[in-house]
Amino acid sequence: QNPSVTLDKGLQSTVDADGDGTVSAGDTLTFGFTVNNDGAVTLSNVTVTDRTTWSAKVIGGPVHLIE
């Protein structure tokens, strides 16, 4: 057995609420995550924890399983 998991995180969109052209308080950043099971082992109950270094409101979204 050869377990292997990769995780990609990317910024999908931004909403610049105050129109100042920079990321600032009140703006909305939407990130996407892709978790790939690259190994030869079936995984279950996989959890991704994203710890930010700034104060952020985190809203969960749908999780899509691709088999």
Side-chain angles (χ1 to χ4, degrees), residues 13-35:
S13 66
T14 61
V15 176
D16 188 4
D18 58 8
D20 68 354
T22 63
V23 175
S24 54
D27 292 350
T28 301
L29 307 176
T30 302
F31 291 90
F33 297 87
T34 302
V35 179

Side-chain angles (χ1 to χ4, degrees), residues 12-58:
Q12 293 182 329
S13 66
T14 61
V15 176
D16 188 4
D18 58 8
D20 68 354
T22 63
V23 175
S24 54
D27 292 350
T28 301
L29 307 176
T30 302
F31 291 90
F33 297 87
T34 302
V35 179
N36 292 304
N37 180 0
D38 301 320
V41 178
T42 300
L43 303 175
S44 61
N45 299 319
V46 174
T47 301
V48 175
T49 302
D50 183 34
R51 297 200 169 118
T52 61
T53 58
W54 64 89
S55 177
K57 178 180 179 184
V58 178

